[in-house]
Amino acid sequence: MRYVRYALLAIILIVVVLLAVANRELVTLRLMPEQLSGVYQLSHELPLFVVILVTLLLGVFLGYVLEWGREMRQRREASERKRLIAKLERENAELRRRHAAPKDEVLAILE
């Protein structure tokens, strides 16, 4: 399984390098539309592959954050169930200890 992961990472690396080499021309990245910018215009000249990779990384990061938030309820429920199981196991051990049959038959008759 480790080799499959390494092969997948190598393929992704090759695709990223090819994307970077194929998209080296500069593009103007404007943070506001020209009609809304007013006096101050925020814009930067960047290579196209940087814009694409940053956008992809932001999308992956946002996906991870949203997934983490979605799974928070399941993690909380699992934690609560783990505490309940530990409590019930302690109760079970206490009841077994308290109600266990005596080892000696003579003592059992005396009780």
Side-chain angles (χ1 to χ4, degrees):
M1 194 67 184
R2 184 179 351 176
Y3 297 116
V4 173
R5 182 173 28 157
Y6 290 150
L8 184 61
L9 288 175
I11 291 171
I12 291 172
L13 180 64
I14 291 170
V15 168
V16 167
V17 169
L18 289 175
L19 179 74
V21 170
N23 295 292
R24 291 179 296 171
E25 53 273 346
L26 292 177
V27 293
T28 302
L29 179 66
R30 290 187 183 90
L31 300 178
M32 293 285 287
E34 291 180 16
Q35 294 82 8
L36 297 177
S37 65
V39 178
Y40 187 67
Q41 175 67 31
L42 286 173
S43 64
H44 297 284
E45 295 243 344
L46 298 168
L48 181 59
F49 75 91
V50 171
V51 175
I52 292 170
L53 290 179
V54 168
T55 303
L56 287 173
L57 290 175
L58 284 174
V60 168
F61 177 73
L62 181 63
Y64 278 131
V65 168
L66 292 175
E67 186 65 20
W68 178 80
R70 188 184 68 80
E71 291 175 350
M72 193 180 321
R73 186 184 67 208
Q74 286 89 1
R75 286 192 302 273
R76 184 175 50 242
E77 288 175 2
S79 175
E80 290 171 0
R81 288 182 180 158
K82 185 187 273 188
R83 282 192 298 270
L84 178 63
I85 288 170
K87 177 185 169 195
L88 292 175
E89 285 177 347
R90 284 191 305 271
E91 282 183 25
N92 191 14
E94 177 63 27
L95 289 173
R96 283 180 189 250
R97 185 189 59 77
R98 197 178 319 156
H99 297 293
K103 304 266 191 272
D104 192 356
E105 294 176 4
V106 174
L107 292 176
I109 293 172
L110 292 176
E111 290 180 1

